[in-house]
Amino acid sequence: MSEYNSQPFERRPSVGVDVGGILVGGGAPVVVQSMTNTDTADIDGTVAQVAALSRAGSQLVRITVDRDESAAAVPKIRDRLDRLGLSVPLVGDFHYIGHKLLADHPACAEALAKYRINPGNVGFKDKKDAQFGAIIEMAIRYDKPVRIGVNWGSLDQELLTTLMDQNHAAGSPLTAEAVTREAIVQSALISSQLAEEIGLPRSKIILSAKVSQVQDLIAVYAELARRCDHALHLGLTEAGMGTKGIVASSAAMGILLQQGIGDTIRISLTPEPGGDRTREVQVAQELLQTMGFRQFIPIVAACPGCGRTTSTVFQELAQSIQSDIRTNMPLWREKYPGVEALNVAVMGCIVNGPGESKMADIGISLPGTGETPSAPVFVDGKKVATLRGAGIAQDFQKMVAEYIENRFGQGAGAHAAE
Ligand code: SF4
């Protein structure tokens, strides 16, 4: 029998970048980040959303810095977050006039932990290099890292035109799509080289090259990863709403992460009207956790249900266990170190229920239609109880809480020694 490999490829070595105390690349665990959609000049709204994203687990939060009012708000937002005890580093997203905003608002330049520059719109023609250079010099002065973030929606048109002309003159020209992908990669590499020539070390530079199509994203990042050792920020831009955005982002980034590519990720979800911005953080964490890269929150494995589960009992139990865990996690993280590694199984019937439940730390196999109305509970692979009656859900939730206390609580060592 051949050996089955169920591990990702080795991580691509990259130069680590310290972003306000969070290491990106250099072998550090893949960092989860997100971005606000508030007007940064609205200090109350932005503080509230950064706080929500941070509490949901976003390790870095990017905010738009698009005009004087938002630049002036940044140090106040930083101050308010510090007073709330939230040290999450803030990243400033600059377009067009970043050089001017950073020069005119030194407190903003100081309060930000990283500057994001888009080489496609940092300036045009002869102003481009000067304005790009001005931001890099600001980063050097304030000892901040930058992300050189190429986006194909705002790709450097001069570079693209040059490459298109060269391609046209070549004997065996590439497709326009292939030239565009090359322009995206070159834009990131040329800009990073320029930044290094100005004096910003590679340990202060993160690169990204975002596109909106899954196959293009995989191709562009695979090439970028091959041609440099910079830390890479992964993200599928304009991923979209709901399941489409989640599936497209997970497919693209899952493949790259499996190949060892990517040091920080952002899932760019368009929220539903009135939707929760923290959803993108949850999706990023679940992507990393289900692929086995990191652990953030106990996983609840539940079967999909089928014709053997005509009641909704097991769906309700799976849902209430999951939401109970999510609600309690901020407290559990403090009280029960290691609890994020917990696996819980909630299964619908006898077919796969006992088997799956035995593989979880704690699992329950509910009775399917026509089965005896009893639910065996398995702890660490052994059947420890059989629950019956209308209180099965509550009884199981209590057992999960007891299991967590026994295994991860302060008396866990004593318990294990018994
Ligand atoms: S475990 Fe039972 S209820 Fe769940 S999907 Fe399988 S057969 Fe259906």
Side-chain angles (χ1 to χ4, degrees), residues 303-306 308-309 314 347-353:
C303 77
C306 67
R308 297 176 68 93
T309 50
F314 100 97
M347 299 295 291
C349 85
I350 200 168
V351 173
N352 291 325

Side-chain angles (χ1 to χ4, degrees), residues 36-74:
T36 57
N37 61 356
T38 54
D39 176 359
T40 304
D42 168 8
I43 295 172
D44 288 347
T46 302
V47 168
Q49 196 173 77
V50 173
L53 291 166
S54 167
R55 287 183 180 124
S58 185
Q59 296 170 271
L60 305 172
V61 177
R62 184 158 44 114
I63 58 178
T64 300
V65 188
D66 59 341
R67 61 192 199 279
D68 284 311
E69 290 81 357
S70 44
V74 170

